mmCIF file of all heavy atoms in Angstrom:
data_model
loop_
_atom_site.group_PDB
_atom_site.id
_atom_site.type_symbol
_atom_site.label_atom_id
_atom_site.label_comp_id
_atom_site.label_asym_id
_atom_site.label_seq_id
_atom_site.Cartn_x
_atom_site.Cartn_y
_atom_site.Cartn_z
ATOM 1 N N ASP T 24 14.710 34.864 113.709
ATOM 2 C CA ASP T 24 15.109 33.550 114.179
ATOM 3 C C ASP T 24 16.438 33.121 113.570
ATOM 4 O O ASP T 24 17.197 32.395 114.186
ATOM 5 C CB ASP T 24 14.051 32.499 113.839
ATOM 6 C CG ASP T 24 12.769 32.695 114.637
ATOM 7 O OD1 ASP T 24 12.807 33.414 115.658
ATOM 8 O OD2 ASP T 24 11.744 32.136 114.219
ATOM 9 N N ARG T 25 16.727 33.568 112.392
ATOM 10 C CA ARG T 25 17.950 33.165 111.711
ATOM 11 C C ARG T 25 19.161 33.963 112.171
ATOM 12 O O ARG T 25 20.265 33.706 111.743
ATOM 13 C CB ARG T 25 17.789 33.329 110.200
ATOM 14 C CG ARG T 25 16.801 32.339 109.628
ATOM 15 C CD ARG T 25 16.767 32.484 108.153
ATOM 16 N NE ARG T 25 15.818 31.551 107.593
ATOM 17 C CZ ARG T 25 15.695 31.305 106.324
ATOM 18 N NH1 ARG T 25 16.456 31.927 105.463
ATOM 19 N NH2 ARG T 25 14.821 30.448 105.884
ATOM 20 N N SER T 26 18.971 34.970 113.017
ATOM 21 C CA SER T 26 20.086 35.803 113.438
ATOM 22 C C SER T 26 21.160 35.001 114.172
ATOM 23 O O SER T 26 22.260 35.487 114.355
ATOM 24 C CB SER T 26 19.602 36.973 114.289
ATOM 25 O OG SER T 26 19.021 36.489 115.484
ATOM 26 N N ALA T 27 20.839 33.783 114.573
ATOM 27 C CA ALA T 27 21.821 32.936 115.224
ATOM 28 C C ALA T 27 22.883 32.452 114.241
ATOM 29 O O ALA T 27 23.936 31.995 114.644
ATOM 30 C CB ALA T 27 21.128 31.745 115.884
ATOM 31 N N ARG T 28 22.602 32.549 112.941
ATOM 32 C CA ARG T 28 23.604 32.149 111.947
ATOM 33 C C ARG T 28 24.719 33.190 111.913
ATOM 34 O O ARG T 28 24.494 34.372 112.126
ATOM 35 C CB ARG T 28 22.970 32.051 110.555
ATOM 36 C CG ARG T 28 21.957 30.946 110.470
ATOM 37 C CD ARG T 28 21.596 30.604 109.058
ATOM 38 N NE ARG T 28 20.988 31.719 108.339
ATOM 39 C CZ ARG T 28 20.872 31.769 107.014
ATOM 40 N NH1 ARG T 28 21.309 30.772 106.278
ATOM 41 N NH2 ARG T 28 20.301 32.784 106.428
ATOM 42 N N SER T 29 25.908 32.744 111.593
ATOM 43 C CA SER T 29 27.040 33.663 111.506
ATOM 44 C C SER T 29 26.966 34.470 110.215
ATOM 45 O O SER T 29 26.287 34.086 109.253
ATOM 46 C CB SER T 29 28.357 32.882 111.539
ATOM 47 O OG SER T 29 28.538 32.188 110.313
ATOM 48 N N ALA T 30 27.673 35.582 110.210
ATOM 49 C CA ALA T 30 27.742 36.416 109.008
ATOM 50 C C ALA T 30 28.317 35.615 107.845
ATOM 51 O O ALA T 30 27.878 35.768 106.704
ATOM 52 C CB ALA T 30 28.583 37.661 109.286
ATOM 53 N N ALA T 31 29.264 34.730 108.128
ATOM 54 C CA ALA T 31 29.867 33.910 107.071
ATOM 55 C C ALA T 31 28.842 32.970 106.449
ATOM 56 O O ALA T 31 28.833 32.772 105.229
ATOM 57 C CB ALA T 31 31.045 33.120 107.627
ATOM 58 N N GLU T 32 27.971 32.387 107.281
ATOM 59 C CA GLU T 32 26.933 31.494 106.757
ATOM 60 C C GLU T 32 25.955 32.255 105.866
ATOM 61 O O GLU T 32 25.579 31.783 104.795
ATOM 62 C CB GLU T 32 26.158 30.840 107.905
ATOM 63 C CG GLU T 32 26.950 29.816 108.681
ATOM 64 C CD GLU T 32 26.207 29.339 109.905
ATOM 65 O OE1 GLU T 32 25.742 30.172 110.707
ATOM 66 O OE2 GLU T 32 26.094 28.110 110.051
ATOM 67 N N VAL T 33 25.551 33.426 106.317
ATOM 68 C CA VAL T 33 24.613 34.233 105.532
ATOM 69 C C VAL T 33 25.287 34.692 104.246
ATOM 70 O O VAL T 33 24.680 34.668 103.167
ATOM 71 C CB VAL T 33 24.097 35.434 106.353
ATOM 72 C CG1 VAL T 33 23.139 36.286 105.520
ATOM 73 C CG2 VAL T 33 23.415 34.971 107.630
ATOM 74 N N ASN T 34 26.553 35.077 104.332
ATOM 75 C CA ASN T 34 27.295 35.511 103.153
ATOM 76 C C ASN T 34 27.355 34.394 102.110
ATOM 77 O O ASN T 34 27.194 34.639 100.910
ATOM 78 C CB ASN T 34 28.694 35.959 103.550
ATOM 79 C CG ASN T 34 29.424 36.612 102.403
ATOM 80 O OD1 ASN T 34 28.847 37.377 101.637
ATOM 81 N ND2 ASN T 34 30.701 36.312 102.276
ATOM 82 N N GLU T 35 27.554 33.175 102.556
ATOM 83 C CA GLU T 35 27.591 32.044 101.621
ATOM 84 C C GLU T 35 26.241 31.868 100.936
ATOM 85 O O GLU T 35 26.178 31.563 99.749
ATOM 86 C CB GLU T 35 28.003 30.756 102.348
ATOM 87 C CG GLU T 35 28.089 29.560 101.427
ATOM 88 C CD GLU T 35 28.979 29.769 100.204
ATOM 89 O OE1 GLU T 35 30.032 30.437 100.324
ATOM 90 O OE2 GLU T 35 28.625 29.265 99.116
ATOM 91 N N GLU T 36 25.159 32.079 101.670
ATOM 92 C CA GLU T 36 23.835 31.976 101.058
ATOM 93 C C GLU T 36 23.617 33.089 100.031
ATOM 94 O O GLU T 36 23.030 32.867 98.972
ATOM 95 C CB GLU T 36 22.745 32.009 102.128
ATOM 96 C CG GLU T 36 21.392 31.643 101.561
ATOM 97 C CD GLU T 36 20.334 31.413 102.622
ATOM 98 O OE1 GLU T 36 20.670 31.228 103.797
ATOM 99 O OE2 GLU T 36 19.152 31.418 102.245
ATOM 100 N N ILE T 37 24.122 34.278 100.321
ATOM 101 C CA ILE T 37 24.039 35.392 99.363
ATOM 102 C C ILE T 37 24.813 35.033 98.091
ATOM 103 O O ILE T 37 24.323 35.222 96.974
ATOM 104 C CB ILE T 37 24.578 36.697 99.986
ATOM 105 C CG1 ILE T 37 23.628 37.184 101.090
ATOM 106 C CG2 ILE T 37 24.768 37.774 98.919
ATOM 107 C CD1 ILE T 37 24.189 38.307 101.943
ATOM 108 N N ARG T 38 26.014 34.506 98.264
ATOM 109 C CA ARG T 38 26.826 34.118 97.093
ATOM 110 C C ARG T 38 26.128 33.035 96.273
ATOM 111 O O ARG T 38 26.133 33.077 95.043
ATOM 112 C CB ARG T 38 28.198 33.634 97.549
ATOM 113 C CG ARG T 38 29.077 34.736 98.084
ATOM 114 C CD ARG T 38 30.370 34.156 98.663
ATOM 115 N NE ARG T 38 31.174 35.173 99.264
ATOM 116 C CZ ARG T 38 32.191 35.782 98.662
ATOM 117 N NH1 ARG T 38 32.514 35.463 97.433
ATOM 118 N NH2 ARG T 38 32.881 36.703 99.293
ATOM 119 N N ALA T 39 25.514 32.068 96.962
ATOM 120 C CA ALA T 39 24.799 30.997 96.260
ATOM 121 C C ALA T 39 23.616 31.563 95.474
ATOM 122 O O ALA T 39 23.343 31.120 94.353
ATOM 123 C CB ALA T 39 24.332 29.940 97.254
ATOM 124 N N LEU T 40 22.918 32.528 96.048
ATOM 125 C CA LEU T 40 21.800 33.159 95.354
ATOM 126 C C LEU T 40 22.286 33.808 94.057
ATOM 127 O O LEU T 40 21.677 33.634 93.000
ATOM 128 C CB LEU T 40 21.140 34.203 96.259
ATOM 129 C CG LEU T 40 20.039 35.058 95.633
ATOM 130 C CD1 LEU T 40 18.853 34.197 95.218
ATOM 131 C CD2 LEU T 40 19.605 36.151 96.605
ATOM 132 N N TRP T 41 23.391 34.529 94.115
ATOM 133 C CA TRP T 41 23.932 35.165 92.910
ATOM 134 C C TRP T 41 24.378 34.126 91.881
ATOM 135 O O TRP T 41 24.161 34.301 90.684
ATOM 136 C CB TRP T 41 25.093 36.096 93.266
ATOM 137 C CG TRP T 41 24.605 37.433 93.752
ATOM 138 C CD1 TRP T 41 24.608 37.888 95.033
ATOM 139 C CD2 TRP T 41 24.019 38.463 92.961
ATOM 140 N NE1 TRP T 41 24.060 39.140 95.079
ATOM 141 C CE2 TRP T 41 23.698 39.524 93.820
ATOM 142 C CE3 TRP T 41 23.736 38.589 91.600
ATOM 143 C CZ2 TRP T 41 23.109 40.694 93.368
ATOM 144 C CZ3 TRP T 41 23.149 39.763 91.156
ATOM 145 C CH2 TRP T 41 22.843 40.797 92.040
ATOM 146 N N ARG T 42 25.001 33.035 92.359
ATOM 147 C CA ARG T 42 25.417 31.985 91.416
ATOM 148 C C ARG T 42 24.208 31.374 90.719
ATOM 149 O O ARG T 42 24.225 31.173 89.499
ATOM 150 C CB ARG T 42 26.215 30.895 92.145
ATOM 151 C CG ARG T 42 27.637 31.284 92.468
ATOM 152 C CD ARG T 42 28.461 30.094 92.941
ATOM 153 N NE ARG T 42 27.943 29.490 94.157
ATOM 154 C CZ ARG T 42 28.298 29.818 95.392
ATOM 155 N NH1 ARG T 42 29.181 30.769 95.581
ATOM 156 N NH2 ARG T 42 27.774 29.197 96.426
ATOM 157 N N ARG T 43 23.165 31.067 91.483
ATOM 158 C CA ARG T 43 21.952 30.482 90.893
ATOM 159 C C ARG T 43 21.280 31.432 89.914
ATOM 160 O O ARG T 43 20.692 31.006 88.928
ATOM 161 C CB ARG T 43 20.930 30.128 91.984
ATOM 162 C CG ARG T 43 21.257 28.926 92.801
ATOM 163 C CD ARG T 43 20.077 28.481 93.664
ATOM 164 N NE ARG T 43 19.427 29.552 94.389
ATOM 165 C CZ ARG T 43 19.749 29.990 95.612
ATOM 166 N NH1 ARG T 43 20.762 29.425 96.246
ATOM 167 N NH2 ARG T 43 19.086 30.949 96.193
ATOM 168 N N SER T 44 21.356 32.722 90.181
ATOM 169 C CA SER T 44 20.646 33.703 89.352
ATOM 170 C C SER T 44 21.375 33.986 88.040
ATOM 171 O O SER T 44 20.788 34.576 87.140
ATOM 172 C CB SER T 44 20.477 35.015 90.118
ATOM 173 O OG SER T 44 21.700 35.730 90.169
ATOM 174 N N GLY T 45 22.633 33.627 87.959
ATOM 175 C CA GLY T 45 23.406 33.944 86.769
ATOM 176 C C GLY T 45 23.755 35.420 86.678
ATOM 177 O O GLY T 45 24.105 35.927 85.621
ATOM 178 N N GLY T 46 23.654 36.141 87.793
ATOM 179 C CA GLY T 46 24.048 37.548 87.824
ATOM 180 C C GLY T 46 22.902 38.526 87.663
ATOM 181 O O GLY T 46 23.106 39.732 87.761
ATOM 182 N N THR T 47 21.698 38.042 87.413
ATOM 183 C CA THR T 47 20.534 38.915 87.281
ATOM 184 C C THR T 47 19.432 38.373 88.184
ATOM 185 O O THR T 47 18.968 37.252 87.998
ATOM 186 C CB THR T 47 20.029 38.963 85.826
ATOM 187 O OG1 THR T 47 21.097 39.394 84.993
ATOM 188 C CG2 THR T 47 18.856 39.920 85.688
ATOM 189 N N LEU T 48 19.033 39.182 89.167
ATOM 190 C CA LEU T 48 18.022 38.742 90.120
ATOM 191 C C LEU T 48 16.614 39.070 89.635
ATOM 192 O O LEU T 48 16.365 40.154 89.132
ATOM 193 C CB LEU T 48 18.232 39.429 91.477
ATOM 194 C CG LEU T 48 19.562 39.164 92.183
ATOM 195 C CD1 LEU T 48 19.650 39.990 93.465
ATOM 196 C CD2 LEU T 48 19.738 37.693 92.476
ATOM 197 N N THR T 49 15.708 38.104 89.823
ATOM 198 C CA THR T 49 14.293 38.358 89.562
ATOM 199 C C THR T 49 13.755 39.196 90.731
ATOM 200 O O THR T 49 14.444 39.405 91.732
ATOM 201 C CB THR T 49 13.497 37.039 89.497
ATOM 202 O OG1 THR T 49 13.551 36.421 90.795
ATOM 203 C CG2 THR T 49 14.050 36.092 88.437
ATOM 204 N N THR T 50 12.534 39.645 90.615
ATOM 205 C CA THR T 50 11.921 40.411 91.698
ATOM 206 C C THR T 50 11.893 39.598 92.982
ATOM 207 O O THR T 50 12.218 40.102 94.056
ATOM 208 C CB THR T 50 10.492 40.841 91.302
ATOM 209 O OG1 THR T 50 10.570 41.623 90.109
ATOM 210 C CG2 THR T 50 9.831 41.648 92.393
ATOM 211 N N GLU T 51 11.535 38.333 92.880
ATOM 212 C CA GLU T 51 11.500 37.452 94.053
ATOM 213 C C GLU T 51 12.900 37.262 94.637
ATOM 214 O O GLU T 51 13.091 37.310 95.853
ATOM 215 C CB GLU T 51 10.900 36.106 93.656
ATOM 216 C CG GLU T 51 10.633 35.194 94.824
ATOM 217 C CD GLU T 51 9.907 33.944 94.366
ATOM 218 O OE1 GLU T 51 8.695 34.017 94.105
ATOM 219 O OE2 GLU T 51 10.575 32.898 94.272
ATOM 220 N N GLN T 52 13.883 37.051 93.775
ATOM 221 C CA GLN T 52 15.261 36.877 94.240
ATOM 222 C C GLN T 52 15.789 38.158 94.868
ATOM 223 O O GLN T 52 16.552 38.117 95.830
ATOM 224 C CB GLN T 52 16.165 36.442 93.095
ATOM 225 C CG GLN T 52 15.918 35.014 92.642
ATOM 226 C CD GLN T 52 16.648 34.706 91.350
ATOM 227 O OE1 GLN T 52 16.738 35.551 90.451
ATOM 228 N NE2 GLN T 52 17.150 33.481 91.242
ATOM 229 N N ARG T 53 15.392 39.311 94.325
ATOM 230 C CA ARG T 53 15.836 40.589 94.881
ATOM 231 C C ARG T 53 15.318 40.757 96.308
ATOM 232 O O ARG T 53 16.037 41.219 97.191
ATOM 233 C CB ARG T 53 15.351 41.744 93.992
ATOM 234 C CG ARG T 53 16.016 43.061 94.325
ATOM 235 C CD ARG T 53 15.694 44.139 93.296
ATOM 236 N NE ARG T 53 16.172 43.734 91.983
ATOM 237 C CZ ARG T 53 15.397 43.666 90.897
ATOM 238 N NH1 ARG T 53 14.133 44.010 90.950
ATOM 239 N NH2 ARG T 53 15.902 43.294 89.741
ATOM 240 N N ALA T 54 14.071 40.342 96.547
ATOM 241 C CA ALA T 54 13.509 40.415 97.893
ATOM 242 C C ALA T 54 14.287 39.490 98.836
ATOM 243 O O ALA T 54 14.579 39.856 99.985
ATOM 244 C CB ALA T 54 12.029 40.042 97.871
ATOM 245 N N GLU T 55 14.628 38.306 98.365
ATOM 246 C CA GLU T 55 15.425 37.368 99.160
ATOM 247 C C GLU T 55 16.804 37.959 99.444
ATOM 248 O O GLU T 55 17.313 37.870 100.563
ATOM 249 C CB GLU T 55 15.558 36.036 98.423
ATOM 250 C CG GLU T 55 16.494 35.041 99.072
ATOM 251 C CD GLU T 55 15.966 34.445 100.372
ATOM 252 O OE1 GLU T 55 14.902 34.852 100.856
ATOM 253 O OE2 GLU T 55 16.649 33.559 100.910
ATOM 254 N N TYR T 56 17.422 38.575 98.448
ATOM 255 C CA TYR T 56 18.726 39.207 98.618
ATOM 256 C C TYR T 56 18.668 40.296 99.688
ATOM 257 O O TYR T 56 19.524 40.359 100.572
ATOM 258 C CB TYR T 56 19.199 39.792 97.279
ATOM 259 C CG TYR T 56 20.464 40.591 97.376
ATOM 260 C CD1 TYR T 56 21.693 39.966 97.525
ATOM 261 C CD2 TYR T 56 20.431 41.982 97.319
ATOM 262 C CE1 TYR T 56 22.866 40.696 97.621
ATOM 263 C CE2 TYR T 56 21.583 42.725 97.411
ATOM 264 C CZ TYR T 56 22.805 42.075 97.567
ATOM 265 O OH TYR T 56 23.956 42.811 97.666
ATOM 266 N N GLN T 57 17.648 41.131 99.637
ATOM 267 C CA GLN T 57 17.504 42.207 100.618
ATOM 268 C C GLN T 57 17.345 41.639 102.029
ATOM 269 O O GLN T 57 17.942 42.135 102.980
ATOM 270 C CB GLN T 57 16.320 43.106 100.260
ATOM 271 C CG GLN T 57 16.587 43.937 99.027
ATOM 272 C CD GLN T 57 15.364 44.701 98.546
ATOM 273 O OE1 GLN T 57 14.241 44.420 98.951
ATOM 274 N NE2 GLN T 57 15.592 45.672 97.674
ATOM 275 N N ARG T 58 16.551 40.585 102.162
ATOM 276 C CA ARG T 58 16.373 39.945 103.465
ATOM 277 C C ARG T 58 17.704 39.388 103.974
ATOM 278 O O ARG T 58 18.061 39.554 105.135
ATOM 279 C CB ARG T 58 15.331 38.827 103.379
ATOM 280 C CG ARG T 58 15.019 38.224 104.753
ATOM 281 C CD ARG T 58 14.310 36.903 104.650
ATOM 282 N NE ARG T 58 15.068 35.855 103.972
ATOM 283 C CZ ARG T 58 16.079 35.180 104.502
ATOM 284 N NH1 ARG T 58 16.514 35.461 105.707
ATOM 285 N NH2 ARG T 58 16.690 34.241 103.814
ATOM 286 N N LEU T 59 18.447 38.749 103.073
ATOM 287 C CA LEU T 59 19.733 38.173 103.456
ATOM 288 C C LEU T 59 20.739 39.253 103.859
ATOM 289 O O LEU T 59 21.494 39.075 104.813
ATOM 290 C CB LEU T 59 20.298 37.322 102.318
ATOM 291 C CG LEU T 59 19.587 35.988 102.099
ATOM 292 C CD1 LEU T 59 20.030 35.373 100.772
ATOM 293 C CD2 LEU T 59 19.824 35.036 103.244
ATOM 294 N N VAL T 60 20.765 40.359 103.141
ATOM 295 C CA VAL T 60 21.693 41.445 103.480
ATOM 296 C C VAL T 60 21.370 42.003 104.869
ATOM 297 O O VAL T 60 22.282 42.267 105.662
ATOM 298 C CB VAL T 60 21.672 42.555 102.407
ATOM 299 C CG1 VAL T 60 22.412 43.800 102.881
ATOM 300 C CG2 VAL T 60 22.293 42.043 101.111
#
Side-chain angles (χ1 to χ4, degrees):
D24 291 343
R25 291 184 180 190
S26 64
R28 294 195 298 164
S29 72
E32 290 172 309
V33 179
N34 189 40
E35 181 54 37
E36 191 169 344
I37 291 169
R38 290 174 184 263
L40 174 64
W41 279 106
R42 283 191 299 269
R43 286 191 313 271
S44 75
T47 303
L48 299 176
T49 64
T50 301
E51 188 174 284
Q52 289 170 322
R53 193 171 299 125
E55 173 71 355
Y56 174 75
Q57 290 172 345
R58 186 196 62 76
L59 287 168
V60 169

